[in-house]
Amino acid sequence: MQSQRKYPKLYSFEFYPPKTEAGEVSLQKVHRELSKLDPDFFSVTFGAGGSTRDKTYDTVLKIQQSGISAAPHLSCVASTRDNIRQILKSYRDHGIRKIVALRGDLPSGMMSAGEFRYANELVEFIRQESGQHFQIHVAAYPEVHPQAANGIEDLKNFKRKVDAGADAAITQYFYNADAYFYFVDACEKLAIDIPIVPGIMPIFNYTQLFRFSDMCGADIPRWMRKRLECFGDDVESARAFGVDVVSGLCQRLLDNGAPGLHFYTMNQAGPVQAIWKNLNL
Ligand code: FAD
């Protein structure tokens, strides 16, 4: 973990582009609330296969205009070089300086006619097209990406993205700090020298969280699962437990040198604000 201590701490909040007008109004409020915490940037997700392309773009521009920088996510699966070139140009023209570069996942049933296979190819393409204009963040998986052949191959694939020009990484969420510490130590041994910021998922709705975690390969420790199940419909108690556990996780990460935190906000302010307050940030 030693190498991570040298980086300034980066704090960021992730949104998804709202689908409805009500969602839009609600996101504006959440954005205002979380802006008070003065994060380094807000990031906005990009739907698989480009499904939210315009909405991601609109949300990013609105955030950027409000004064705190915005980082669009950009996934390359099912995309062509021309598509990506156009998107990069629009972002450059609007003064966007950060991008979260991803492969993405194809929705089931969709066939890829894309020109990119993996995120390292996207990072390489962004560098070819835009030089050093963008600060590029990529994804990292302390608990191993679900499609990876094994942990070592996954780590080598992560290094490909770094070698292609990534400046920083944001991890998939996890609740086991040791997974992150081991991952960062393994990266150090491969001479990977970029900040690896832990992705933090507050607990909003635990049945949804269980389902999503099974899909994306994030482990929910048995003791947490069992405790959460006991809350049944008592959403408030489950959230309070979540705030407690996740605050403890964040504190341990920061105390041990993690270079900041990236919160998956799910477009909600409450749990993030509560964790932030507990951390005295
Ligand atoms: P990659 O780095 O390409 O890795 C994908 C898999 O392929 C891994 O198993 C890896 O080991 C393997 N691999 C990589 N390179 C090679 C290679 N050269 N040869 C062989 N195997 C290789 N998804 C979205 O659709 N939209 C989003 O906005 C979004 N935001 C995210 C933000 C963060 C911080 C994270 C952690 C994930 C996000 N995702 C998003 C999910 C992500 O798209 C999926 O996890 C996807 O399955 C992998 O994307 P990646 O960029 O990590 O892919």
Side-chain angles (χ1 to χ4, degrees):
M1 279 296 295
Q2 214 43 43
S3 69
Q4 294 292 308
R5 290 184 185 274
K6 68 179 181 230
Y7 301 113
K9 301 251 189 279
L10 273 181
Y11 295 96
S12 48
F13 298 136
E14 179 174 312
F15 294 143
Y16 58 85
K19 289 196 184 83
T20 61
E21 224 165 280
E24 174 109 14
V25 173
S26 161
L27 181 60
Q28 282 169 14
K29 185 162 177 271
V30 171
H31 172 240
R32 270 198 306 278
E33 286 297 310
L34 293 182
S35 292
K36 293 179 194 158
L37 307 183
D38 196 22
D40 293 283
F41 65 92
F42 289 100
S43 81
V44 183
T45 62
F46 186 85
S51 56
T52 68
R53 177 180 160 157
D54 294 343
K55 286 192 180 298
T56 298
Y57 185 72
D58 292 346
T59 310
V60 162
L61 294 197
K62 277 184 194 146
I63 291 173
Q64 181 84 356
Q65 280 156 13
S66 75
I68 295 177
S69 52
H73 293 208
L74 180 57
S75 73
C76 60
V77 71
S79 261
T80 62
R81 286 183 168 69
D82 266 352
N83 286 155
I84 300 285
R85 186 175 288 121
Q86 277 172 25
I87 296 176
L88 293 174
K89 180 175 181 326
S90 327
Y91 284 135
R92 271 199 317 269
D93 291 348
H94 284 91
I96 302 295
R97 301 302 301 255
K98 295 183 206 302
I99 282 201
V100 183
L102 303 144
R103 182 196 69 178
D105 292 309
L106 275 181
S108 57
M110 186 171 166
M111 299 291 283
S112 170
E115 294 177 357
F116 297 88
R117 287 170 311 157
Y118 298 108
N120 64 297
E121 296 167 13
L122 176 62
V123 175
E124 200 178 309
F125 185 71
I126 298 174
R127 286 286 176 243
Q128 266 167 26
E129 288 289 309
S130 308
Q132 295 301 312
H133 176 87
F134 292 109
Q135 189 185 47
I136 304 177
H137 296 246
V138 291
Y141 300 85
E143 293 181 329
V144 185
H145 185 268
Q147 290 158 6
N150 57 53
I152 294 177
E153 286 305 314
D154 205 30
L155 200 61
K156 286 186 191 159
N157 291 329
F158 175 56
K159 185 168 160 48
R160 290 179 206 266
K161 298 191 274 194
V162 179
D163 292 344
D167 297 294
I170 300 171
T171 76
Q172 182 59 278
Y173 66 88
F174 55 86
Y175 294 102
N176 182 352
D178 288 322
Y180 172 80
F181 299 140
Y182 276 106
F183 179 76
V184 167
D185 286 345
C187 288
E188 265 174 36
K189 289 187 186 126
L190 288 183
I192 292 173
D193 192 14
I194 59 169
I196 301 171
V197 178
I200 302 296
M201 180 69 92
I203 295 169
F204 302 95
N205 168 330
Y206 68 84
T207 39
Q208 220 174 34
L209 180 72
F210 290 173
R211 213 175 34 245
F212 188 58
S213 301
D214 288 342
M215 264 167 18
C216 71
D219 186 46
I220 306 196
R222 178 182 159 85
W223 71 272
M224 273 180 69
R225 225 176 241 268
K226 292 288 169 196
R227 280 292 291 276
L228 284 165
E229 280 166 1
C230 291
F231 292 114
D233 293 334
D234 183 358
V235 176
E236 281 316 305
S237 301
R239 281 192 182 193
F241 169 74
V243 165
D244 211 35
V245 170
V246 176
S247 302
L249 169 69
C250 293
Q251 192 65 64
R252 195 167 161 220
L253 292 167
L254 292 172
D255 287 348
N256 284 278
L261 301 167
H262 174 85
F263 287 91
Y264 297 102
T265 72
M266 306 304 281
N267 292 8
Q268 293 182 46
V272 176
Q273 288 168 314
I275 295 165
W276 193 270
K277 188 162 170 239
N278 285 345
L279 296 172
N280 283 320
L281 291 172

